[in-house]
Amino acid sequence: MATKSLMRPETAIPALFDDFFKPWNEMFDNSRFWGRAATVPPVNIIETPNEYKVSLAAPGIKKEDFKIDVNGNMLTISAEKEEKVEEKEDKYTRREFNYTTFTRSFAMPDDVQFDKVDARYVEGVLELMLPKKEEAKKATITKNIPIK
């Protein structure tokens, strides 16, 4: 039995190569290398009787970096942020650039009053309040009807 467990080179060799190539694998692994630039902020949409609330988590982005557009019933939220950092020493200069961009679009129901949309950005969360038209508010009134 002991010799059987020693004769499993198929598990030992890949682990050896994984360790050897680990720095290169991490450098070119798309999920890690592009992860920050390719992420899209999560969104929650909640419907209440009077409005729709859209919450988008985007910490680190300033409210000036956001753009909110309405085209018909399509709501589009986008942001662009560019950061440049430069360090100068006697023998070297180091420059780093970070560019973050995303776009999210949502088809909204016809009962939204787009001319009265309100937005605010608080502690890394962009919140949009999309009020419903009066007809839609009346249609959502619930009532229990007794049977006679």
Side-chain angles (χ1 to χ4, degrees):
M1 290 262 180
T3 57
K4 187 173 184 179
S5 64
L6 290 175
M7 297 184 68
R8 298 187 64 193
E10 68 273 4
T11 58
I13 292 174
L16 174 68
F17 284 114
D18 286 345
D19 289 342
F20 179 76
F21 289 110
K22 185 176 181 178
W24 291 278
N25 289 339
E26 287 178 353
M27 185 184 311
F28 295 108
D29 180 9
N30 285 339
S31 64
R32 291 183 188 167
F33 185 72
W34 297 107
R36 182 174 173 160
T39 58
V40 177
V43 173
N44 288 327
I45 300 176
I46 299 170
E47 181 180 7
T48 68
N50 296 323
E51 67 185 355
Y52 297 93
K53 294 181 182 181
V54 178
S55 300
L56 183 133
I61 295 178
K62 297 176 186 170
K63 69 179 182 178
E64 299 85 29
D65 298 330
F66 287 102
K67 183 178 177 186
I68 303 169
D69 292 314
V70 174
N71 187 1
N73 72 333
M74 188 65 64
L75 172 71
T76 301
I77 303 168
S78 60
E80 285 187 28
K81 180 180 177 181
E82 185 176 356
E83 293 177 315
K84 298 177 185 177
V85 177
E86 186 173 326
E87 283 184 27
K88 290 186 177 185
E89 294 292 326
D90 292 337
K91 296 183 181 184
Y92 70 91
T93 298
R94 180 179 75 124
R95 292 183 184 161
E96 290 189 23
F97 300 93
N98 182 18
Y99 187 73
T100 303
T101 182
F102 71 86
T103 300
R104 299 283 315 253
S105 293
F106 307 94
M108 299 304 295
D110 293 330
D111 62 350
V112 173
Q113 292 183 33
F114 283 107
D115 58 331
K116 296 191 179 181
V117 172
D118 187 30
R120 64 184 134 229
Y121 184 66
V122 180
E123 296 182 8
V125 177
L126 177 67
E127 294 181 341
L128 284 83
M129 283 63 66
L130 298 105
K132 292 182 178 180
K133 295 176 183 173
E134 288 302 318
E135 309 86 62
K137 290 180 190 178
K138 291 176 186 174
T140 59
I141 295 173
T142 58
K143 180 180 175 184
N144 187 1
I145 301 171
I147 301 172
K148 295 180 184 177

